[in-house]
């Protein structure tokens, strides 16, 4: 069981955000997120958006710190990547 988190470098809603992913299953991801107090509404298709104040909690609970590119690589390799659909432009 390994969960991964990238640094809180994504701005939004007046704060910085991290992404939390699993390389095993969404069930593992949901269980981990619930254990650190992350609400279900923070799930965004294939990851949880975590505000910077939850970053240390995730790492203390066992999430492995990786860069954003590595996080996406691991998510994709696990077959769990769900890219957002973008409107034709």
């Amino acid at each position: 069981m390994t969960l991964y988190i990238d640094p809180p470098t994504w701005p939004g809603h007046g704060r910085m955000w991290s992404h939390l992913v699993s390389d095993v299953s969404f069930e593992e991801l949901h269980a981990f997120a619930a254990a650190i107090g992350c609400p279900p509404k923070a799930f965004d298709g294939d990851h949880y958006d975590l505000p910077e104040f939850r970053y240390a909690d995730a790492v203390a609970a066992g999430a492995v710190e990786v860069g954003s590119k590595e996080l996406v690589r691991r998510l994709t390799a696990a077959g769990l990547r769900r890219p957002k659909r973008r409107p034709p432009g």
Side-chain angles (χ1 to χ4, degrees), residues 16-42:
M16 301 301 282
W17 298 82
S18 293
H19 301 105
L20 178 69
V21 304
S22 168
D23 67 350
V24 174
S25 70
F26 292 120
E27 292 79 16
E28 174 188 55
L29 179 59
H30 295 313
F32 185 91
I36 63 169
C38 192
K41 69 181 180 178

Side-chain angles (χ1 to χ4, degrees), residues 25-82:
S25 70
F26 292 120
E27 292 79 16
E28 174 188 55
L29 179 59
H30 295 313
F32 185 91
I36 63 169
C38 192
K41 69 181 180 178
F43 183 66
D44 190 17
D46 58 9
H47 68 276
Y48 276 84
D49 291 322
L50 267 68
E52 60 190 328
F53 69 85
R54 290 212 187 271
Y55 185 84
D57 296 336
V59 172
V64 176
E65 299 168 276
V66 296
S68 298
K69 289 181 181 180
E70 179 66 14
L71 182 135
V72 172
R73 188 191 72 72
R74 289 178 183 264
L75 185 63
T76 301
L80 298 174
R81 180 78 170 124
R82 294 181 180 166

